[in-house]
Amino acid sequence: MFLFNKKKPLLTADEQQMVVACISEAESNTTGELRVFVESKCSYVDAIDRAWELFHKLAMDVTEKRNAVLVYLAIDDHQYAIVGDKEIYEKAGGALFWERAAAKLRQHLKQGKIAIGLANCVKELGTAMATHFPYDPSITKNELPDEIVFGK
């Protein structure tokens, strides 16, 4: 008999597969790099500060075209952030584009649809990335892994 319940995973294996498939699909149409980082609690007051810290730790700020995007989610703290490197941030439309993408993600999160929210967010960001940084066959490498990164 177990005295402690196993902690429910932040995302099930099927949900992880769905989000990773969306990342791979989005990146297949762009030179951009997209990552998702999920953890239970945010160690900062502001999720954007945590997202930028992770952006740098994950070496997303050194991609060739400076067009990487990170979707950050702290599930237990109900915090999230979307940050993009200089080039993609500006070309996608500045603050207005990013605020709209965050608002759409928030609607899914409020409904408890975390995986669907992440998948839809990745698709939307991927479309913007493909528009402003289309696939270039001369750039064949995937600079960053597509899997979801899980924190504590």
Side-chain angles (χ1 to χ4, degrees), residues 46-60:
D46 189 341
I48 290 179
D49 293 337
R50 176 67 171 147
W52 279 119
E53 175 189 52
L54 294 166
F55 191 89
H56 297 293
K57 280 187 176 181
L58 296 171
M60 296 182 72

Side-chain angles (χ1 to χ4, degrees), residues 75-112:
I75 293 176
D76 291 349
D77 288 342
H78 304 281
Q79 292 187 344
Y80 63 95
I82 303 170
V83 295
D85 210 339
K86 181 182 186 317
E87 293 297 319
I88 187 62
Y89 178 86
E90 292 171 1
K91 288 185 179 182
L96 184 60
F97 170 80
W98 301 95
E99 289 167 10
R100 285 182 181 160
K104 290 177 185 176
L105 175 58
R106 179 176 39 252
Q107 291 306 313
H108 288 288
L109 298 177
K110 279 183 173 181
Q111 297 170 9

